[in-house]
Structures are given as structure tokens and as C-alpha cells.
Amino acid sequence: MRHSDIGTQDNARKSSGGIVVSERRSAKRWHTVLAAHIRSNSRSKSIECIVRDLSDTGARVYFADISEMPSEFELEIPSRGLRVRSRLMWNRGANHGVMFLEAVKAWTDPIRAAAA
């Protein structure tokens, strides 16, 4: 397993005032650095990106250079063996939040699975 495949769980975060607040997400989120790409419905071209956060319900992806992103697309993360239909939910500069349109087990870590 490569170091970039190892994620850390994000259960709580600090607010701007330094107060720790619980996440209200429906699924656990893992910080990652995973190479990925998206393909639009036309599949005419692939756009490379980096998955920075990953959960079973969605991801935060980073694009080094993108002018326009389709509203729905297929996200593929080769190192996780994952290909999933996704929808753009938000964007802040180069960072984009996507929601998965189908049920997936995006983060199956062999070490955590063996301990369960």
C-alpha cells in the first residue's frame, strides 16, 4: 500500500474560534491524496484530478486547471478500484464537492476491515 492511499478519519474539526465541533455528515470522511479522473456523459475526454477527501457518499476533488466541469460525470479512482456516477454539488476555486449517485464502499481499508 502506498502512503498516498492511507487516509485519516475526520470526526471533528476546529471552528474559526478554535472550538471543536462534531461533523454532521452521514458517512465517515477520510483525508486522501488519490489520483483520479472524471469523464462526462459524452466520454469525449478525461479530466485528471486529485481526491482530497473520500467517503461512501461523495468526495472532495481538486483540479489543477479546469475552466468548466460537467454537472454529472463518472469519477474513477484507479487505486481504489472505484468508478462511480457522481454529481457536482459545490465548488470553491480548484476544489469541488461531489455526491455519489449510487451506493459504494469507497473506503475499504484492509487493516481496518481485519480489526472489525
Side-chain angles (χ1 to χ4, degrees):
M1 180 182 293
R2 294 186 322 235
H3 176 71
S4 63
D5 283 344
I6 298 172
T8 58
Q9 187 177 4
D10 186 5
N11 286 336
R13 63 179 173 79
K14 284 190 177 181
S15 68
S16 59
I19 299 169
V20 176
V21 292
S22 295
E23 287 287 342
R24 292 177 288 172
R25 298 181 182 277
S26 62
K28 292 180 182 177
R29 178 175 53 165
W30 303 91
H31 292 294
T32 63
V33 180
L34 301 170
H37 57 266
I38 66 167
R39 293 185 197 281
S40 65
N41 291 337
S42 66
R43 294 187 169 263
S44 60
K45 66 176 184 172
S46 173
I47 304 171
E48 293 184 10
C49 60
I50 302 294
V51 176
R52 303 302 301 225
D53 291 318
L54 181 63
S55 77
D56 288 344
T57 59
R60 177 172 59 99
V61 295
Y62 170 84
F63 295 91
D65 182 32
I66 189 167
S67 57
E68 189 173 316
M69 188 168 154
S71 60
E72 289 193 9
F73 51 89
E74 186 175 76
L75 175 67
E76 183 173 5
I77 308 171
S79 67
R80 305 293 323 152
L82 180 67
R83 183 181 297 165
V84 61
R85 295 287 315 147
S86 304
R87 176 178 294 141
L88 176 65
M89 299 303 290
W90 57 264
N91 64 57
R92 292 183 192 102
N95 289 293
H96 295 71
V98 302
M99 177 179 72
F100 297 150
L101 298 177
E102 50 196 74
V104 297
K105 289 286 188 184
W107 193 267
T108 305
D109 183 344
I111 295 170
R112 287 185 187 87

